[in-house]
Amino acid sequence: MLTRKQHELLLFIHQRMKESGIPPSFDEMKEALDLASKSGIHRLITALEERGFIRRLPNRARALEVIRLPDSIAPGLNTSKKFSPSVIQGSLGRSADKPHSPSASNDDDASSGISVPVMGRIAAGVPISAIQQQTHSISVPPEMLRGGEHYALEVKGDSMIEAGILDGDTVIIRNASTATAGDIVVALVDDEEATLKRFRRKGDSIALEAANPAYETRIFGPDRVKVQGKLVGLIRSY
């Protein structure tokens, strides 16, 4: 049987994984459970792991996997399958009339994904130039689609590792010009620097927050930052 706090934390992690495919940071978990320190979160995670509800993934900063939920919440539910990012079918990277290539066979259509354009690299660390033109396309599972237009970016840098985003990952972005606090977004700073960061507001200013203590939160006037999309998933090659 889980304690109330263990129960709350498990549901919070599960919901965040379901929404974005990325585990919440320890700071986010501490905030969500209204705890005074991260040590309380460490104890709760250890307890959940010992009881077989979650698993910590090796060689990945604070990466968690929900294995199962209490039967009282979701009878028969087993969430041991790892997150597999889905991209929503939109007008980018596909024909407006046909979701699949006309040359593909029926068998290929059944197993292949939706083609999404890769628009270059995005900084998750030191600044790099703004998003480039399309370099190539990738195929992503159609069941991950959420509606709207999507594109992909290759991650360069390590400033988002505590959000489970590593150097070399490919992130799937839904095109958007607005964001709410806590969203991980593609932000264009001064029309020349593209970066992948968590979106926050500090009074009238915009804060772009890293998920790595080695990087400082950067704060800008609202006229200097343009949101160009929200993170909806990622693809990793091993």
Side-chain angles (χ1 to χ4, degrees), residues 28-113:
E28 289 172 325
M29 289 187 271
K30 178 172 73 72
E31 217 173 277
L33 270 68
D34 196 26
L35 295 180
S37 69
K38 294 180 187 178
S39 61
I41 295 297
H42 280 283
R43 287 193 295 271
L44 291 172
I45 285 178
T46 298
L48 289 172
E49 189 175 30
E50 290 173 347
R51 287 161 175 76
F53 288 96
I54 66 172
R55 176 168 57 199
R56 280 184 265 210
L57 304 179
N59 304 319
R60 291 172 57 186
R62 296 182 182 175
L64 302 172
E65 181 181 14
V66 176
I67 299 172
R68 65 187 180 94
L69 294 176
D71 291 340
S72 59
I73 299 172
L77 177 61
N78 186 330
T79 57
S80 61
K81 184 178 179 182
K82 291 185 179 180
F83 169 72
S84 177
S86 54
V87 176
I88 305 156
Q89 186 173 351
S91 62
L92 283 179
R94 69 179 180 92
S95 164
D97 298 321
K98 299 178 181 180
H100 299 289
S101 169
S103 61
S105 67
N106 290 337
D107 289 341
D108 288 339
D109 284 345
S111 59
S112 64

Coordinates of all heavy atoms in Angstrom, one line a residue, residues 28-113:
E28 N 10.4 20.2 -9.9 CA 8.9 20.2 -10.3 C 8.2 19.2 -9.3 O 7.1 19.5 -8.9 CB 8.8 19.8 -11.7 CG 9.2 20.8 -12.7 CD 9.2 20.3 -14.1 OE1 9.5 19.2 -14.4 OE2 9.0 21.1 -15.0
M29 N 8.8 18.1 -9.0 CA 8.1 17.2 -8.1 C 8.0 17.8 -6.7 O 7.0 17.6 -6.1 CB 8.9 15.8 -8.1 CG 8.8 15.0 -9.4 SD 9.5 13.4 -9.3 CE 11.2 13.8 -9.8
K30 N 9.1 18.4 -6.3 CA 9.0 19.1 -5.0 C 7.9 20.1 -4.9 O 7.2 20.2 -3.9 CB 10.4 19.7 -4.7 CG 10.5 20.4 -3.3 CD 11.9 20.9 -3.0 CE 12.3 22.0 -3.9 NZ 11.7 23.3 -3.6
E31 N 7.8 20.9 -6.0 CA 6.8 21.9 -6.0 C 5.4 21.4 -6.1 O 4.5 21.8 -5.4 CB 7.1 22.8 -7.3 CG 6.8 24.3 -7.2 CD 7.2 25.0 -8.4 OE1 8.4 25.3 -8.5 OE2 6.4 25.3 -9.3
A32 N 5.2 20.3 -6.9 CA 3.9 19.7 -7.0 C 3.4 19.1 -5.7 O 2.2 19.1 -5.4 CB 3.9 18.6 -8.1
L33 N 4.3 18.5 -4.9 CA 3.9 17.9 -3.7 C 4.1 18.8 -2.5 O 3.8 18.4 -1.3 CB 4.8 16.6 -3.4 CG 4.2 15.4 -4.0 CD1 4.2 15.4 -5.5 CD2 4.9 14.1 -3.5
D34 N 4.5 20.1 -2.7 CA 4.6 21.1 -1.7 C 5.6 20.6 -0.6 O 5.2 20.7 0.6 CB 3.2 21.4 -1.1 CG 3.3 22.7 -0.3 OD1 4.1 23.6 -0.6 OD2 2.4 22.9 0.6
L35 N 6.7 20.1 -1.0 CA 7.7 19.6 0.0 C 8.8 20.7 0.2 O 9.0 21.5 -0.8 CB 8.4 18.3 -0.5 CG 7.4 17.1 -0.5 CD1 8.2 15.9 -1.0 CD2 6.8 16.8 0.8
A36 N 9.4 20.7 1.3 CA 10.4 21.7 1.6 C 11.8 21.5 0.9 O 12.5 22.4 0.7 CB 10.6 21.8 3.1
S37 N 12.1 20.2 0.6 CA 13.4 19.9 0.1 C 13.3 18.7 -0.9 O 12.4 18.0 -0.9 CB 14.4 19.6 1.2 OG 14.1 18.4 1.8
K38 N 14.4 18.6 -1.7 CA 14.5 17.5 -2.6 C 14.7 16.1 -2.0 O 14.5 15.1 -2.5 CB 15.6 17.7 -3.7 CG 15.3 18.9 -4.6 CD 16.5 19.1 -5.5 CE 16.4 20.3 -6.4 NZ 17.5 20.5 -7.3
S39 N 15.2 16.2 -0.7 CA 15.5 14.9 0.0 C 14.2 14.1 0.2 O 14.2 12.9 0.1 CB 16.2 15.2 1.3 OG 15.4 16.0 2.1
G40 N 13.1 14.8 0.4 CA 11.8 14.1 0.5 C 11.4 13.4 -0.8 O 10.9 12.3 -0.7
I41 N 11.7 14.1 -1.9 CA 11.4 13.4 -3.2 C 12.3 12.2 -3.4 O 11.8 11.2 -3.9 CB 11.7 14.4 -4.3 CG1 10.7 15.6 -4.2 CG2 11.6 13.7 -5.7 CD1 9.2 15.2 -4.4
H42 N 13.6 12.3 -3.0 CA 14.5 11.1 -3.1 C 13.9 10.0 -2.3 O 13.9 8.8 -2.8 CB 15.9 11.5 -2.6 CG 16.7 12.3 -3.5 ND1 17.4 11.7 -4.6 CD2 17.0 13.6 -3.6 CE1 18.0 12.6 -5.3 NE2 17.9 13.7 -4.7
R43 N 13.4 10.2 -1.1 CA 12.9 9.1 -0.3 C 11.6 8.5 -0.9 O 11.5 7.3 -0.9 CB 12.6 9.6 1.1 CG 13.8 9.9 2.0 CD 13.5 10.1 3.4 NE 12.7 11.3 3.6 CZ 13.2 12.5 3.9 NH1 14.5 12.7 3.9 NH2 12.4 13.6 4.0
L44 N 10.8 9.4 -1.5 CA 9.5 8.9 -2.1 C 9.9 8.0 -3.4 O 9.2 7.0 -3.6 CB 8.6 10.1 -2.5 CG 8.0 10.8 -1.3 CD1 7.3 12.1 -1.8 CD2 7.0 9.9 -0.5
I45 N 10.8 8.5 -4.2 CA 11.2 7.8 -5.4 C 11.8 6.4 -5.0 O 11.5 5.4 -5.6 CB 12.1 8.6 -6.2 CG1 11.4 9.7 -6.9 CG2 12.9 7.7 -7.3 CD1 12.2 10.7 -7.7
T46 N 12.6 6.4 -4.0 CA 13.2 5.1 -3.5 C 12.1 4.2 -3.1 O 12.2 3.0 -3.4 CB 14.2 5.4 -2.4 OG1 15.3 6.2 -2.9 CG2 14.8 4.1 -1.9
A47 N 11.2 4.7 -2.4 CA 10.1 3.8 -1.9 C 9.2 3.3 -3.0 O 8.9 2.1 -3.0 CB 9.2 4.6 -0.9
L48 N 9.0 4.1 -4.0 CA 8.2 3.7 -5.2 C 9.0 2.7 -6.0 O 8.4 1.7 -6.5 CB 7.8 4.9 -6.1 CG 6.8 5.9 -5.5 CD1 6.7 7.1 -6.4 CD2 5.4 5.2 -5.4
E49 N 10.3 2.9 -6.1 CA 11.1 1.9 -6.8 C 11.2 0.6 -6.1 O 11.0 -0.5 -6.7 CB 12.5 2.5 -6.9 CG 13.4 1.7 -7.9 CD 14.8 2.3 -8.1 OE1 15.3 3.0 -7.2 OE2 15.4 2.1 -9.2
E50 N 11.3 0.6 -4.8 CA 11.3 -0.7 -4.0 C 10.0 -1.4 -4.1 O 10.0 -2.7 -4.0 CB 11.6 -0.3 -2.5 CG 13.1 0.1 -2.3 CD 13.3 0.6 -0.9 OE1 12.3 0.8 -0.1 OE2 14.5 0.8 -0.5
R51 N 8.9 -0.7 -4.2 CA 7.6 -1.3 -4.3 C 7.2 -1.7 -5.8 O 6.1 -2.2 -6.0 CB 6.5 -0.4 -3.7 CG 6.6 -0.3 -2.2 CD 5.9 0.9 -1.7 NE 5.8 1.0 -0.3 CZ 6.8 1.3 0.5 NH1 8.0 1.6 0.0 NH2 6.7 1.3 1.8
G52 N 8.1 -1.5 -6.7 CA 7.9 -1.9 -8.1 C 7.0 -1.1 -8.9 O 6.5 -1.5 -9.9
F53 N 6.8 0.2 -8.5 CA 6.0 1.1 -9.3 C 6.7 1.9 -10.4 O 6.2 2.3 -11.4 CB 5.2 2.1 -8.4 CG 4.1 1.4 -7.6 CD1 4.3 0.9 -6.3 CD2 2.9 1.2 -8.2 CE1 3.4 0.3 -5.6 CE2 1.9 0.5 -7.4 CZ 2.1 0.1 -6.1
I54 N 8.0 2.2 -10.1 CA 8.8 3.0 -11.0 C 10.2 2.3 -11.1 O 10.5 1.5 -10.3 CB 9.0 4.5 -10.6 CG1 9.8 4.6 -9.3 CG2 7.6 5.2 -10.5 CD1 10.1 6.0 -9.0
R55 N 10.9 2.7 -12.1 CA 12.3 2.3 -12.3 C 13.1 3.4 -12.7 O 12.8 4.2 -13.6 CB 12.3 1.2 -13.4 CG 13.8 0.7 -13.7 CD 13.7 -0.6 -14.5 NE 12.9 -0.4 -15.7 CZ 12.4 -1.4 -16.5 NH1 12.5 -2.6 -16.1 NH2 11.8 -1.1 -17.6
R56 N 14.3 3.6 -12.1 CA 15.3 4.6 -12.5 C 16.1 4.0 -13.7 O 16.7 2.9 -13.6 CB 16.1 5.0 -11.4 CG 15.5 6.0 -10.5 CD 16.4 6.5 -9.4 NE 16.2 5.7 -8.1 CZ 16.4 6.2 -6.9 NH1 16.7 7.4 -6.7 NH2 16.2 5.4 -5.9
L57 N 16.2 4.8 -14.8 CA 16.9 4.3 -15.9 C 18.4 4.7 -15.8 O 18.8 5.8 -15.5 CB 16.4 5.0 -17.2 CG 14.9 4.7 -17.4 CD1 14.4 5.4 -18.7 CD2 14.6 3.2 -17.5
P58 N 19.3 3.8 -16.1 CA 20.8 4.0 -15.9 C 21.3 5.0 -16.9 O 20.8 5.0 -18.0 CB 21.4 2.6 -16.0 CG 20.4 1.9 -16.9 CD 19.0 2.4 -16.5
N59 N 22.3 5.7 -16.6 CA 23.1 6.6 -17.5 C 22.3 7.7 -18.1 O 22.6 8.2 -19.1 CB 23.7 5.7 -18.6 CG 24.6 4.6 -18.1 OD1 25.3 4.8 -17.2 ND2 24.5 3.4 -18.7
R60 N 21.2 8.0 -17.4 CA 20.4 9.2 -17.8 C 20.0 10.0 -16.6 O 19.5 9.4 -15.6 CB 19.1 8.7 -18.6 CG 19.4 8.0 -19.9 CD 18.2 7.4 -20.5 NE 17.1 8.4 -20.7 CZ 15.9 8.1 -21.1 NH1 15.6 6.8 -21.3 NH2 14.9 9.0 -21.2
A61 N 20.2 11.3 -16.7 CA 20.0 12.1 -15.5 C 18.5 12.1 -15.1 O 17.7 12.6 -15.8 CB 20.5 13.5 -15.8
R62 N 18.3 11.6 -13.9 CA 16.9 11.7 -13.3 C 15.8 11.1 -14.2 O 14.7 11.6 -14.2 CB 16.6 13.1 -12.9 CG 17.5 13.6 -11.8 CD 17.1 15.0 -11.4 NE 18.0 15.5 -10.4 CZ 18.0 16.8 -9.9 NH1 17.1 17.6 -10.3 NH2 18.8 17.1 -9.0
A63 N 16.2 10.1 -15.0 CA 15.2 9.5 -15.9 C 14.5 8.5 -15.2 O 15.0 7.6 -14.6 CB 15.9 9.0 -17.2
L64 N 13.1 8.5 -15.3 CA 12.3 7.6 -14.6 C 11.3 6.9 -15.6 O 11.0 7.5 -16.6 CB 11.4 8.3 -13.5 CG 12.2 9.0 -12.4 CD1 11.2 9.9 -11.6 CD2 13.0 8.1 -11.6
E65 N 10.9 5.7 -15.2 CA 10.0 5.0 -16.0 C 8.9 4.4 -15.1 O 9.2 3.8 -14.1 CB 10.6 3.8 -16.8 CG 9.7 3.0 -17.6 CD 10.4 1.8 -18.3 OE1 11.6 1.5 -17.9 OE2 9.8 1.3 -19.3
V66 N 7.6 4.7 -15.4 CA 6.5 4.2 -14.6 C 6.2 2.8 -15.1 O 5.9 2.6 -16.2 CB 5.3 5.1 -14.7 CG1 4.1 4.5 -13.9 CG2 5.5 6.5 -14.2
I67 N 6.3 1.8 -14.2 CA 6.1 0.4 -14.5 C 4.7 0.0 -14.4 O 4.1 -0.7 -15.2 CB 7.0 -0.5 -13.7 CG1 8.5 -0.2 -13.9 CG2 6.7 -2.0 -14.0 CD1 9.4 -0.9 -13.0
R68 N 4.1 0.5 -13.3 CA 2.6 0.2 -13.1 C 2.0 1.2 -12.2 O 2.7 2.0 -11.5 CB 2.5 -1.2 -12.5 CG 3.0 -1.4 -11.1 CD 3.0 -2.8 -10.7 NE 3.5 -3.0 -9.3 CZ 2.8 -3.0 -8.2 NH1 1.5 -2.9 -8.3 NH2 3.4 -3.2 -7.0
L69 N 0.7 1.2 -12.2 CA -0.1 2.1 -11.3 C -0.9 1.2 -10.3 O -1.1 0.0 -10.6 CB -1.0 3.0 -12.1 CG -0.4 4.0 -13.0 CD1 -1.5 4.7 -13.8 CD2 0.4 5.0 -12.2
P70 N -1.3 1.7 -9.2 CA -2.1 0.9 -8.3 C -3.4 0.4 -8.9 O -4.0 1.2 -9.7 CB -2.4 1.9 -7.1 CG -1.3 2.9 -7.2 CD -1.0 3.0 -8.6
D71 N -3.8 -0.8 -8.6 CA -5.0 -1.4 -9.2 C -6.2 -0.5 -8.9 O -7.2 -0.5 -9.7 CB -5.2 -2.8 -8.7 CG -4.1 -3.7 -9.3 OD1 -3.5 -3.4 -10.3 OD2 -3.9 -4.8 -8.7
S72 N -6.2 0.1 -7.8 CA -7.3 1.0 -7.4 C -7.5 2.2 -8.3 O -8.6 2.7 -8.4 CB -7.2 1.5 -6.0 OG -6.0 2.3 -5.9
I73 N -6.5 2.5 -9.0 CA -6.6 3.7 -10.0 C -6.9 3.2 -11.4 O -7.7 3.7 -12.1 CB -5.2 4.5 -10.0 CG1 -5.0 5.0 -8.6 CG2 -5.3 5.6 -11.0 CD1 -3.6 5.6 -8.5
A74 N -6.1 2.2 -11.8 CA -6.2 1.7 -13.2 C -6.1 0.2 -13.2 O -5.0 -0.3 -13.5 CB -5.2 2.4 -14.1
P75 N -7.1 -0.5 -13.0 CA -7.1 -2.0 -13.0 C -6.5 -2.5 -14.3 O -7.0 -2.1 -15.4 CB -8.5 -2.4 -12.8 CG -9.2 -1.2 -12.1 CD -8.5 0.0 -12.7
G76 N -5.5 -3.4 -14.1 CA -5.0 -4.0 -15.3 C -4.0 -3.1 -16.1 O -3.5 -3.6 -17.1
L77 N -3.8 -1.9 -15.7 CA -3.0 -1.0 -16.5 C -1.5 -1.3 -16.2 O -1.1 -1.4 -15.1 CB -3.2 0.5 -16.2 CG -2.3 1.5 -16.8 CD1 -2.5 1.4 -18.3 CD2 -2.6 2.9 -16.3
N78 N -0.7 -1.5 -17.3 CA 0.7 -1.8 -17.2 C 1.4 -0.8 -18.1 O 1.2 -0.9 -19.3 CB 1.0 -3.2 -17.6 CG 2.5 -3.5 -17.3 OD1 3.4 -2.7 -17.3 ND2 2.8 -4.8 -17.0
T79 N 2.1 0.1 -17.5 CA 2.8 1.2 -18.3 C 4.3 0.9 -18.5 O 5.1 1.8 -18.6 CB 2.6 2.5 -17.6 OG1 3.2 2.4 -16.3 CG2 1.2 2.9 -17.6
S80 N 4.6 -0.4 -18.5 CA 6.1 -0.7 -18.6 C 6.7 -0.4 -19.9 O 7.9 -0.3 -20.1 CB 6.3 -2.2 -18.3 OG 5.6 -3.0 -19.3
K81 N 5.8 -0.2 -21.0 CA 6.4 0.1 -22.3 C 7.0 1.5 -22.2 O 6.4 2.5 -21.7 CB 5.2 0.1 -23.3 CG 5.7 0.4 -24.7 CD 4.6 0.3 -25.7 CE 5.1 0.6 -27.1 NZ 4.0 0.6 -28.1
K82 N 8.2 1.6 -22.7 CA 8.9 2.9 -22.7 C 8.2 3.9 -23.6 O 7.5 3.6 -24.6 CB 10.3 2.7 -23.2 CG 11.2 2.0 -22.2 CD 12.6 1.9 -22.7 CE 13.5 1.2 -21.7 NZ 14.9 1.1 -22.1
F83 N 8.3 5.2 -23.2 CA 7.8 6.2 -24.0 C 8.3 6.2 -25.4 O 9.5 6.1 -25.7 CB 8.1 7.6 -23.4 CG 7.8 8.8 -24.3 CD1 6.5 9.1 -24.5 CD2 8.8 9.5 -24.9 CE1 6.2 10.2 -25.3 CE2 8.5 10.5 -25.7 CZ 7.2 10.9 -25.9
S84 N 7.4 6.3 -26.4 CA 7.7 6.3 -27.8 C 7.1 7.6 -28.4 O 5.9 7.7 -28.5 CB 7.2 5.1 -28.5 OG 7.5 5.2 -29.9
P85 N 7.9 8.6 -28.7 CA 7.3 9.8 -29.1 C 6.4 9.7 -30.4 O 6.7 9.0 -31.3 CB 8.5 10.7 -29.4 CG 9.6 9.8 -29.7 CD 9.3 8.5 -28.9
S86 N 5.3 10.4 -30.3 CA 4.4 10.4 -31.5 C 4.3 11.8 -32.0 O 4.4 12.8 -31.3 CB 3.0 10.0 -31.1 OG 2.5 10.7 -30.0
V87 N 4.2 11.9 -33.3 CA 4.1 13.2 -34.0 C 2.8 13.3 -34.6 O 2.3 12.4 -35.2 CB 5.2 13.4 -35.0 CG1 5.1 14.7 -35.8 CG2 6.6 13.3 -34.4
I88 N 2.2 14.4 -34.4 CA 0.8 14.6 -34.9 C 0.8 15.0 -36.4 O 1.6 15.8 -36.8 CB 0.1 15.7 -34.1 CG1 0.2 15.3 -32.7 CG2 -1.3 16.0 -34.6 CD1 0.1 16.4 -31.7
Q89 N 0.0 14.4 -37.2 CA -0.1 14.6 -38.6 C -0.5 16.0 -38.9 O -1.5 16.5 -38.4 CB -1.0 13.6 -39.2 CG -1.0 13.7 -40.7 CD -1.9 12.6 -41.3 OE1 -2.3 11.7 -40.6 NE2 -2.1 12.6 -42.6
G90 N 0.3 16.8 -39.6 CA 0.0 18.1 -39.9 C 0.4 18.4 -41.4 O 0.7 17.5 -42.1
S91 N 0.4 19.6 -41.8 CA 0.7 20.0 -43.2 C 2.2 20.0 -43.5 O 2.6 20.0 -44.6 CB 0.1 21.3 -43.5 OG 0.6 22.3 -42.7
L92 N 3.0 20.0 -42.4 CA 4.4 20.0 -42.7 C 4.9 18.6 -42.9 O 4.6 17.7 -42.2 CB 5.2 20.6 -41.4 CG 5.2 22.1 -41.3 CD1 5.9 22.4 -40.0 CD2 5.8 22.8 -42.5
G93 N 5.7 18.4 -44.0 CA 6.4 17.2 -44.2 C 5.5 16.1 -44.8 O 5.8 14.9 -44.8
R94 N 4.3 16.5 -45.4 CA 3.4 15.5 -46.0 C 2.6 16.2 -47.1 O 2.4 17.4 -47.1 CB 2.5 14.8 -45.0 CG 1.5 15.8 -44.4 CD 0.6 15.0 -43.4 NE -0.4 15.9 -42.8 CZ -1.6 16.1 -43.3 NH1 -2.0 15.4 -44.4 NH2 -2.5 16.9 -42.7
S95 N 2.0 15.4 -47.9 CA 1.1 15.9 -48.9 C -0.2 16.3 -48.2 O -0.6 15.7 -47.3 CB 0.8 14.8 -49.9 OG -0.3 15.1 -50.7
A96 N -0.8 17.4 -48.7 CA -2.1 17.8 -48.1 C -3.2 16.8 -48.3 O -4.1 16.8 -47.5 CB -2.5 19.2 -48.7
D97 N -3.1 16.0 -49.3 CA -4.2 15.1 -49.6 C -3.9 13.6 -49.2 O -4.8 12.9 -48.9 CB -4.5 15.0 -51.1 CG -4.9 16.4 -51.6 OD1 -5.7 17.0 -50.9 OD2 -4.5 16.8 -52.7
K98 N -2.6 13.3 -49.1 CA -2.2 11.9 -48.9 C -1.3 11.8 -47.7 O -0.2 12.4 -47.7 CB -1.6 11.2 -50.1 CG -2.5 11.2 -51.3 CD -1.8 10.6 -52.5 CE -2.8 10.6 -53.7 NZ -2.1 10.0 -54.9
P99 N -1.6 11.1 -46.6 CA -0.8 11.0 -45.5 C 0.4 10.1 -45.7 O 1.4 10.2 -44.9 CB -1.7 10.4 -44.4 CG -2.7 9.6 -45.1 CD -2.9 10.4 -46.4
H100 N 0.5 9.3 -46.7 CA 1.6 8.4 -47.0 C 2.0 8.6 -48.4 O 1.3 9.1 -49.3 CB 1.2 6.9 -46.8 CG 0.7 6.6 -45.4 ND1 1.6 6.6 -44.3 CD2 -0.5 6.4 -44.9 CE1 0.9 6.3 -43.2 NE2 -0.3 6.2 -43.6
S101 N 3.3 8.2 -48.7 CA 3.8 8.3 -50.0 C 3.0 7.4 -50.9 O 2.7 6.2 -50.6 CB 5.3 7.8 -50.0 OG 5.8 7.6 -51.3
P102 N 2.7 7.9 -52.1 CA 1.9 7.1 -53.1 C 2.6 5.9 -53.6 O 2.0 4.9 -54.1 CB 1.6 8.1 -54.2 CG 2.6 9.1 -54.1 CD 2.9 9.2 -52.7
S103 N 4.0 5.9 -53.4 CA 4.7 4.7 -53.9 C 4.8 3.6 -52.9 O 5.3 2.5 -53.2 CB 6.1 5.2 -54.3 OG 6.8 5.7 -53.2
A104 N 4.4 3.9 -51.7 CA 4.5 2.9 -50.6 C 3.5 1.8 -50.8 O 2.3 2.1 -51.2 CB 4.4 3.5 -49.3
S105 N 3.8 0.6 -50.5 CA 2.9 -0.5 -50.6 C 1.9 -0.5 -49.4 O 2.1 0.2 -48.4 CB 3.6 -1.9 -50.5 OG 4.2 -2.1 -49.3
N106 N 0.8 -1.3 -49.4 CA -0.1 -1.3 -48.3 C 0.6 -1.8 -47.0 O 0.3 -1.3 -45.9 CB -1.3 -2.2 -48.7 CG -2.2 -1.6 -49.7 OD1 -2.2 -0.4 -49.9 ND2 -2.9 -2.5 -50.4
D107 N 1.5 -2.8 -47.2 CA 2.2 -3.3 -46.0 C 3.0 -2.2 -45.4 O 3.1 -2.1 -44.2 CB 3.0 -4.5 -46.3 CG 2.2 -5.7 -46.6 OD1 1.0 -5.7 -46.2 OD2 2.7 -6.7 -47.3
D108 N 3.7 -1.4 -46.3 CA 4.6 -0.4 -45.8 C 3.7 0.7 -45.1 O 4.1 1.2 -44.0 CB 5.3 0.3 -47.0 CG 6.4 -0.6 -47.5 OD1 6.8 -1.5 -46.8 OD2 6.8 -0.4 -48.7
D109 N 2.5 1.0 -45.6 CA 1.7 2.0 -45.0 C 1.3 1.6 -43.6 O 1.1 2.4 -42.7 CB 0.4 2.2 -45.9 CG 0.7 3.1 -47.1 OD1 1.8 3.7 -47.2 OD2 -0.1 3.1 -48.0
A110 N 1.1 0.3 -43.4 CA 0.6 -0.2 -42.1 C 1.7 0.0 -41.1 O 1.4 0.1 -39.9 CB 0.1 -1.6 -42.3
S111 N 3.0 -0.1 -41.5 CA 4.0 -0.1 -40.5 C 4.8 1.2 -40.4 O 5.5 1.4 -39.5 CB 5.0 -1.3 -40.8 OG 5.5 -1.2 -42.1
S112 N 4.8 2.0 -41.5 CA 5.6 3.2 -41.6 C 5.0 4.3 -40.8 O 3.8 4.3 -40.5 CB 5.9 3.6 -43.0 OG 4.7 3.9 -43.7
G113 N 5.8 5.3 -40.5 CA 5.3 6.5 -39.8 C 5.0 7.6 -40.8 O 5.0 7.5 -42.0

